[in-house]
Amino acid sequence: MGVLQRFERRLESLVQGAFTRAFRSEVQPVEIAAAIQRELDNNAQIVSRQRSLVPNTFTVELGPSDHDRLAPYSDTLVQELTDLAKEHADLQHYAFTGPIAISFERHEDLSTGQFRIRSQVRAGVDRADSYAPPQANQSASAGYLVINGTQHPIMAPGLVLGRGSECDIRIDDPGISRRHVEIRVYQHGHDTQLLAVDLGSTNGTVIDGARVPQAPVTEGSTITLGSTVVYVHQGR
C-alpha cells in the first residue's frame, strides 16, 4: 500500500467518513496530500550523496467554500499531512532542517475545487543557554536579529551564528558552516555600530545583496547564510 493510500485509510478512520461527505465535489484531502508530495520531490536540493534537503513549511491556499468546509477538520488534517510528509521523506531519503509546519489560508481569488501550495525551507534555530538569557538587561542590547520569525538580541561584544553546537545561535541549515558569521558590536561614544564578519565559511556570506568577507550592518540590513535570511534591527 502506498503512502497516499495509507493517508486516506487513516483519515477515513479518524473522521468516520466525514471528509468524503464534506469534500465529495470540492477539494479532496488526498489532492492536497499528493501536492505536498510533489512539493517535496520538485524542491529537493541534493546536499550529499545520501541526503536531499526539502521544504518543511507548507501553506495551502483555498477558496472560501473549500476553506470553510475544511475548517472543522483542520487539526486532524494537519497532523495526517505532517505524518505523510515525514513518511514520504523517509522513503526518499529527504531531510528537513526544522519542524514541519502546515497551515491553511482563505483566498477569495480561488474557486471551489482550486487550491495552491506555497512551500519553503525554514531552518530550525536554537540559542545557546549562555547567550542573552531571558533575565538579561535589555538596555544592554545593541539591537536584535530576526531569524525565521524569532527575535534574538545582539549583546556586546557580539555573537556567532553557525551550524555548530558551540555557536551562540545555531541554525540547522546544511548550507551554513559550523562557525559561519560573527556579528561584532563596537561602541563609539553614544553610538553603537555592528559589523558582520564571515568566519571563513564554505559558501560565503551575502550582506545586503553582496557576497563580502565583512561589512557594517544596521537597521534593515539582511545577512544571507545558506538558504536562511537574517534580518538586522538596531535599537530596542
Side-chain angles (χ1 to χ4, degrees), residues 116-171:
R116 295 186 296 255
I117 290 187
R118 305 194 316 270
S119 66
Q120 68 178 118
V121 174
R122 288 174 63 90
V125 181
D126 298 313
R127 186 171 63 199
D129 293 338
S130 60
Y131 186 81
Q135 67 270 23
N137 182 0
Q138 292 301 305
S139 65
S141 171
Y144 60 94
L145 306 176
V146 176
I147 309 173
N148 290 343
T150 303
Q151 294 185 10
H152 302 272
I154 306 169
M155 313 294 289
L159 70 161
V160 174
L161 287 72
R163 195 163 42 85
S165 58
E166 71 276 13
C167 293
D168 298 306
I169 297 179
R170 179 180 176 274
I171 306 174

Side-chain angles (χ1 to χ4, degrees), residues 50-178:
Q50 296 183 334
R51 189 177 186 225
S52 294
L53 180 67
V54 290
N56 61 317
T57 65
F58 305 88
T59 302
V60 183
E61 300 177 357
L62 295 158
S65 176
D66 287 314
H67 185 274
D68 293 347
R69 289 173 181 270
L70 227 167
Y73 316 108
S74 58
D75 290 344
T76 298
L77 186 52
V78 164
Q79 184 57 59
E80 289 302 315
L81 289 170
T82 299
D83 291 344
L84 172 135
K86 291 178 179 177
E87 186 176 354
H88 185 66
D90 287 342
L91 289 172
Q92 301 299 323
H93 304 291
Y94 294 154
F96 300 107
T97 60
I100 297 172
I102 299 173
S103 61
F104 298 90
E105 288 184 357
R106 180 187 176 111
H107 284 257
E108 302 294 331
D109 66 313
L110 291 172
S111 302
T112 299
Q114 295 180 326
F115 70 97
R116 295 186 296 255
I117 290 187
R118 305 194 316 270
S119 66
Q120 68 178 118
V121 174
R122 288 174 63 90
V125 181
D126 298 313
R127 186 171 63 199
D129 293 338
S130 60
Y131 186 81
Q135 67 270 23
N137 182 0
Q138 292 301 305
S139 65
S141 171
Y144 60 94
L145 306 176
V146 176
I147 309 173
N148 290 343
T150 303
Q151 294 185 10
H152 302 272
I154 306 169
M155 313 294 289
L159 70 161
V160 174
L161 287 72
R163 195 163 42 85
S165 58
E166 71 276 13
C167 293
D168 298 306
I169 297 179
R170 179 180 176 274
I171 306 174
D172 187 13
D173 182 330
I176 294 178
S177 296
R178 293 190 63 81

